[in-house]
Amino acid sequence: MTEKKVRAYTNIALIKYWGKRNAELILPTSSSLSLTLDAFYTETSVSFNADVKQDTFYLNDNLQDTAATQKVSRFLQLFREPAGISSPALVKSTNFVPTAAGLASSASGMAALAGAANLASGLDLNPRDLSLVARRGSGSATRSIYGGFVEWQMGTTSADSYAVPIDDASWDIGMGVVVVNHHEKSVSSREGMKNTVATSPFYAGWLESTAKDLIEIKEAIRSQDFQKLGEITESNGMKMHGTMLGANPPLSYWEPDSVVAMQLVRQLRKEGIPCYFTMDAGPNVKVLCRLSDSAKIKTRFAEVFQKDQLIVAKPGPGLQVLTSN
């Protein structure tokens, strides 16, 4: 029997998404911009009219509990209702990325689920509309519909908050990932984000500066100005983490090795190798670099970290449909 799966790749935000103005619809407080990566992805299949009595969800071949399945069920209703489908679904998903460790597993996971549900329901949504729906599962998933550099436009309502492709990143761009800790984090992105927005006195200033960062980083991408791209990326990420430090209670996802990795990036720049770091809601450090420099950067990091902690990624594509027998 032929099975169709959808593969979605993770994305790493260069201009961060950190805060919702509407938690139910997942509408952000600012626009954001990311780079899709080829090294981390999720593959998912959805079948309606399956031989199951209720929605059933397998992740990495493990049957998921009620809470995880209910989240998937609610998301599937966004496809079932407009398609006129009442049947339960069998969902099988495989994550080729550590879950909840700040490596954007929710982005690839929900984007792949959206793509697979789109196939199974027969709705045949275009990428823009699919991006709109993916957002309802995970904000960052809206960007994983596309490859390369992608902007999630905050919009004014749920109807115009979606992602658009900016550039295919087919120039000399790469990203190294230093996996400091692949375990699930103690404070989820959702909770950390909510508390930061509610309590950090730095948050309003970050929102104001991030709008300016977005304009400038798109100019850097258009002109393929790597230094400017990197400087804005590093600055924006540090400002986001600054808002967390100002929250009550203060929040930091950093671990000692996170700081070691950031210091090594700064040292490499002093030695004439242009590279810049960014971090999401987790301890792992991402190093934006020229792909042509990635091998020597990895060699330097291997002097400090284990080789299995170091991954080099290229710009990744948008959603892919895979067929297997």
Side-chain angles (χ1 to χ4, degrees):
M1 181 178 177
T2 301
E3 181 186 48
K4 286 188 176 180
K5 297 186 289 187
V6 171
R7 178 185 289 178
Y9 294 83
T10 64
N11 67 79
I12 297 300
L14 309 184
I15 301 298
K16 302 299 187 184
Y17 151 53
W18 193 246
K20 302 182 183 77
R21 67 185 192 272
N22 183 311
E24 182 182 353
L25 296 174
I26 311 187
L27 297 177
T29 53
S30 64
S31 297
S32 56
L33 186 142
S34 63
L35 177 63
T36 302
L37 303 180
D38 72 342
F40 309 103
Y41 54 90
T42 303
E43 294 179 352
T44 299
S45 66
V46 172
S47 54
F48 296 111
N49 297 310
D51 189 22
V52 289
K53 295 181 179 179
Q54 59 188 15
D55 287 343
T56 305
F57 175 35
Y58 287 89
L59 177 61
N60 299 334
D61 294 325
N62 296 314
L63 182 64
Q64 297 300 288
D65 62 18
T66 301
T69 304
Q70 284 179 344
K71 182 179 180 181
V72 167
S73 294
R74 286 192 297 270
F75 185 72
L76 289 177
Q77 284 303 106
L78 299 174
F79 293 88
R80 272 192 287 231
E81 288 180 5
I85 294 172
S86 57
S87 307
L90 174 62
V91 179
K92 297 178 182 178
S93 190
T94 305
N95 235 358
F96 295 88
V97 52
T99 300
L103 283 168
S105 60
S106 64
S108 60
M110 296 310 294
L113 180 60
N118 190 38
L119 272 182
S121 66
L123 285 180
D124 196 26
L125 299 179
N126 62 38
R128 190 200 74 170
D129 290 342
L130 193 56
S131 176
L132 273 171
V133 181
R135 190 201 74 232
R136 300 285 297 277
S138 165
S140 53
T142 196
R143 299 185 305 243
S144 277
I145 302 300
Y146 300 101
F149 291 107
V150 182
E151 179 187 356
W152 174 12
Q153 299 175 339
M154 63 182 289
T156 55
T157 67
S158 184
D160 63 356
S161 182
Y162 53 82
V164 294
I166 296 297
D167 182 274
D168 64 6
S170 59
W171 36 298
D172 193 7
I173 290 289
M175 185 169 281
V177 178
V178 185
V179 183
V180 170
N181 187 335
H182 62 80
H183 298 296
E184 189 166 341
K185 55 204 176 193
S186 58
V187 179
S188 71
S189 299
R190 186 165 302 201
E191 285 305 309
M193 188 182 293
K194 182 179 178 181
N195 187 53
T196 300
V197 173
T199 67
S200 178
F202 305 147
Y203 191 74
W206 181 74
L207 281 182
E208 184 178 336
S209 69
T210 227
K212 180 172 177 285
D213 288 345
L214 181 64
I215 292 169
E216 293 184 351
I217 204 168
K218 287 195 288 186
E219 291 174 355
I221 292 168
R222 276 193 292 268
S223 60
Q224 298 188 5
D225 184 338
F226 178 75
Q227 180 178 340
K228 185 177 180 183
L229 172 70
E231 289 173 349
I232 296 168
T233 294
E234 188 167 297
S235 172
N236 187 267
M238 290 293 277
K239 285 184 289 189
M240 182 189 76
H241 283 272
T243 68
M244 301 180 207
L245 294 174
N248 184 18
L251 172 64
S252 175
Y253 289 103
W254 299 5
E255 294 185 10
D257 278 349
S258 308
V259 179
V260 170
M262 288 187 279
Q263 289 174 332
L264 183 50
V265 168
R266 293 188 181 107
Q267 179 59 35
L268 286 167
R269 284 207 298 266
K270 288 181 181 178
E271 296 172 11
I273 302 173
C275 54
Y276 302 86
F277 61 80
T278 189
M279 293 176 65
D280 293 310
N284 303 310
V285 177
K286 294 84 176 182
V287 183
L288 184 68
C289 63
R290 295 189 184 280
L291 191 60
S292 56
D293 286 331
S294 60
K296 56 186 173 185
I297 291 172
K298 184 177 181 180
T299 298
R300 284 295 303 278
F301 269 86
E303 296 171 5
V304 181
F305 296 92
Q306 299 297 314
K307 287 186 177 180
D308 62 1
Q309 292 180 273
L310 307 174
I311 302 163
V312 173
K314 300 173 185 175
L319 292 187
Q320 296 178 324
V321 178
L322 311 174
T323 303
S324 60
N325 295 320

